[in-house]
Amino acid sequence: MLAIDLDKGTYKWHFQYIAHDVWDLDAVSPAILTQAKDKDGKMVDVVIHAGKTGHVYVHERNTGKLIRFSEAMIPQENMWVLPTKQGARMLPGANGGVEWSPMAINSKLRLAYAANLHQPMTYRYEEVQYPGGKLWLGGSFDVIPSEEQWGRLVAVNIDTGKVAWGAKTPQPLIGGVLATAGNLVFNGEANGWFKAFDAANGKELWKYNCGAGVNAPAVSYMVGGKQYVAVAAGGNNQINAKRGNSVFVFALP
């Protein structure tokens, strides 16, 4: 994570999550500016980020100092094993954790919501000559076909790092989360389901099948005093979710 002075365009600070990352656990999900308690219990300005590692990280905004990272949101096994020629198994795997998907927060409940993947993988290296301007990994990270893949929508308390609740889904989650002031959380799944959850306890309240992968974050807006929620159902190539070409709009009662 890198911070730049917006007025001067100059470097302020950086934080490196993983040194010498050979597992493709890069920091790719959007950062969120909010407030959280520091280690002394004082409310301070922070920037939070959800990692492929399966943690939510809370940083002091002005300095980049890591205040805390959350409990693991998904299984972690054999972390940081080095790739081998035969293939070394490691969780969470190259896709996460949280892969690109934007988080959402409910500042009143002190919760951040993250869409996670569980895809067991093996990391393998091989001697490959540089192909000249083409993708060059020097090996591969491969999904293990015999192991179950799934997703998990997780709520994390940003003041403590504790996982408040988690809702398991039958397929890995890529898309993004919407949280509303009415204590609702919306999230889509690769199987077409678009669901609403109770923001405090994770209880499923409503669902609608859009017929294609709901792999985009939803948005909420007001027209004429009425609240709407819209989401795109276009599918996803990375987890091979069914493709679509529609935007769905729902009205809240």
Side-chain angles (χ1 to χ4, degrees):
M1 182 180 285
L2 180 68
I4 302 294
D5 186 299
L6 186 62
D7 296 318
K8 302 176 182 178
T10 54
Y11 165 88
K12 287 199 68 173
W13 57 259
H14 76 274
F15 186 92
Q16 185 177 17
Y17 293 100
I18 302 169
H20 188 61
D21 179 15
V22 297
W23 305 275
D24 195 35
L25 295 180
D26 44 322
V28 295
S29 71
I32 293 178
L33 303 181
T34 184
Q35 289 190 322
K37 291 181 179 179
D38 64 13
K39 293 181 179 179
D40 297 321
K42 179 183 177 182
M43 195 69 74
V44 297
D45 291 337
V46 299
V47 53
I48 66 175
H49 168 258
K52 284 189 182 182
T53 56
H55 297 293
V56 172
Y57 298 88
V58 180
H59 297 267
E60 187 176 279
R61 196 187 305 177
N62 291 327
T63 66
K65 178 182 177 182
L66 181 65
I67 297 174
R68 69 181 56 87
F69 60 90
S70 74
E71 297 175 332
M73 295 182 285
I74 55 169
Q76 296 173 327
E77 298 177 27
N78 211 23
M79 291 283 278
W80 320 128
V81 66
L82 291 177
T84 66
K85 285 188 176 181
Q86 296 74 30
R89 182 181 181 275
M90 189 191 98
L91 296 179
N95 288 337
V98 180
E99 167 79 304
W100 300 106
S101 305
M103 283 194 299
I105 58 171
N106 184 314
S107 56
K108 291 182 179 179
L109 295 176
R110 314 302 305 143
L111 296 178
Y113 306 94
N116 286 261
L117 303 91
H118 172 74
Q119 287 184 303
M121 290 188 177
T122 56
Y123 288 84
R124 181 175 57 86
Y125 75 83
E126 59 186 10
E127 300 295 333
V128 181
Q129 187 175 358
Y130 179 57
K134 298 179 181 179
L135 179 64
W136 184 48
L137 297 177
S140 63
F141 37 86
D142 304 305
V143 171
I144 304 173
S146 61
E147 297 198 35
E148 182 188 11
Q149 301 180 40
W150 43 265
R152 192 174 185 229
L153 177 64
V154 179
V156 168
N157 187 305
I158 58 175
D159 293 330
T160 66
K162 301 292 185 182
V163 170
W165 56 262
K168 185 178 178 181
T169 62
Q171 294 151 331
L173 290 178
I174 288 183
V177 190
L178 168 68
T180 73
N183 289 337
L184 295 175
V185 171
F186 292 89
N187 186 66
E189 300 178 24
N191 53 17
W193 287 111
F194 182 52
K195 296 179 179 179
F197 299 85
D198 186 303
N201 57 34
K203 180 182 178 182
E204 185 180 310
L205 302 175
W206 170 89
K207 65 181 180 179
Y208 182 90
N209 197 289
C210 299
V214 184
N215 302 115
V219 297
S220 182
Y221 56 93
M222 300 281 287
V223 176
K226 193 168 187 62
Q227 186 176 4
Y228 297 87
V229 171
V231 71
N236 179 272
N237 178 69
Q238 188 163 334
I239 58 173
N240 198 28
K242 183 180 178 180
R243 310 306 193 270
N245 192 29
S246 300
V247 173
F248 291 81
V249 180
F250 305 92
L252 271 66

